[in-house]
Amino acid sequence: MSVAEDRAAPARADLRFAVIGAGMSGILAAIRLEEAGFRNVEIFERESKLGGTWRDNTYPGLSCDVPSHVYRYRFAPNPDWSYRFSPGPEIWEYLNRVAHDYGIARRVRYDTEIARAEWDDGVWKVTPKGGETEIFDIVITATGVLRDPVYPDIPGLEDFEGPMFHSARWDHSHDWRGKRVGLIGTGSTAIQITSAIAKEVGKLSLFQRTPQWVVPVENPEITEREREALRKDPKRMDDLYEFLADRFQNTFARAVVGDKEELDKVARACEEHLATVKDPELRRKLTPDYQVACKRLIMSDTFYREVQRDTVELVTEKIERIEKNGVRTADGRLHELDMLVCATGFEAHKFMRPMEVVGRGGHTLEEEWSEANRAYRSVAVPDFPNFFMMVGPNSPIGNFSLIMISEMQFDFIMQLVDRIASGEAREVEPTREATNRFNKAIQDAMVNTVWVAGCSSWYLDKNGNPAMWPWDFERFEREMQAPDLKDFRLVA
């Protein structure tokens, strides 16, 4: 199987690559490196299976909020998606199948967490936790964004005597059907869970800190007839990919970065959808006080229907503490529960941490990022030669297909790798001047985006600044087409 255009074998096919992470981006990197003729590619994965967030998240109702036929590798179209927005298990199966088809799965070193990577004497010394140090020429991190769960800082959380777990660590040994379930959080995960379990629980207590804007997006089943047509004519899948990508990029994606007309359309859709909640008090509780899309927009045409069931209670009183048999709210009421689920998000700005990365002259990435996570075009950092990131700082994770983003970033990275493989350079890194210039442009452009409208969200870094891509998709495509070598330090 081939994913790359015909190209001459690299002059230095012996280059040693460490790919850190075997989720969506790591699988992509490993496949593309092998297709380019590199054979010394080691893939390190801290867990016992590949798949990243689609491996970790198995909660009821899990699905992607990007259309199925654009959430896939361009080189591996899939005619068999069952819904417009794929269920999580299908995405994991897809990633797993692609990794096996391309011979990557058997080459992953599972249960191997990288503790340290140090640039020393022109090479990267990579040390797994509890393992031996190994030598690599190039390091590519593909550690993802939504991987380390955050539990709520609520007194008594460990005192609860029933099953208690994070949504990203769903414990399937406990059946929620007919039970009194507490669900902390009202982000996209909690809303998907609510839609999936509301009709079968004994009671669902949904603890809401902040209401969310919900846009009504239907998720129809893709019929067998439609799937068969795609199997028979692969070009239809390519056409569908292009159509969906264009729709995605030129509607919502434009809305969040300053297109007022598109944002107004989204706002009207959300407001009209909210109006379908019949009870005025419940509707009031579900009404946000911030601009549409300031937080990650929730896509669901079922949540408002399910939250109005008699078996569901939306609790807006602040949680005071967790007790052995339930949740005590600030009004003194004890919400008795059989099971407690924390749908409270992830540490979205950790990147490859806690891995220690040491660059030229002993300069650490922790020192480099002491004030904020900053990179050149999201993929590289000055003073860290031959070190590249997929889905690094300010990648457009909030408004595009992440697989599409990773493919473009990898193409950009490969053009820099080619400089090393051809013998033109031994070391490649962005200059500090170019990196500062790029990040200054990001800061200046961010004022036009919806993310500075005043709400709190996981899009914001520790300083309260949006860690996002502030421009449209066309700008990202241009940025990723080719490196400007004037912005790089190349050492021959």
Side-chain angles (χ1 to χ4, degrees), residues 380-391:
V381 183
D383 289 331
F384 294 82
N386 302 2
F387 180 86
F388 305 107
M389 297 171 291
M390 299 183 70
V391 197

Side-chain angles (χ1 to χ4, degrees), residues 3 5 7 79 162 201 211-212 250 283 341 420 427 461 489:
V3 300
E5 296 179 359
R7 54 185 291 167
V201 294
Q212 305 282 341
N250 291 304
R283 189 166 63 248
V341 180
I420 302 169
E427 302 175 13
D461 66 14
R489 174 180 177 269

Side-chain angles (χ1 to χ4, degrees), residues 7 38 91 132 156 163 168 186 209 331 370 381 394 437 459:
R7 54 185 291 167
F38 299 106
I91 300 174
E132 298 288 329
T186 48
R209 183 178 63 179
D331 57 359
S370 60
V381 183
N394 292 104
R437 186 171 64 246
Y459 289 159

Side-chain angles (χ1 to χ4, degrees), residues 34 86 105 226 427:
E34 283 213 346
S86 308
E226 290 170 314
E427 302 175 13

Side-chain angles (χ1 to χ4, degrees), residues 60 160 162-165 167 170-171 174-185 190 193-194 196-207 311-315 325-327 333 335-343:
F160 185 67
M164 188 279 292
F165 45 84
S167 56
W170 194 275
D171 187 345
H174 299 285
D175 191 0
W176 42 266
R177 294 168 181 84
K179 303 291 178 58
R180 298 170 299 179
V181 179
L183 182 56
I184 300 176
I193 293 171
T194 298
I197 73 174
K199 63 177 69 68
E200 295 184 82
V201 294
K203 180 178 181 181
L204 175 62
S205 298
L206 180 59
F207 296 95
T311 53
V312 179
E313 180 183 5
L314 182 70
V315 182
N325 57 345
V327 172
R333 180 183 171 193
H335 302 261
E336 294 189 76
L337 304 170
D338 301 308
M339 178 184 295
L340 181 60
V341 180
C342 301

Side-chain angles (χ1 to χ4, degrees), residues 31 68-69 168 185 217 276 316 347 381 384 419 461 468 471 480:
I31 291 172
S68 305
H69 283 287
V217 176
T276 64
T316 56
E347 296 185 41
V381 183
F384 294 82
R419 303 289 171 173
D461 66 14
M468 303 293 286
W471 300 294
M480 291 294 103

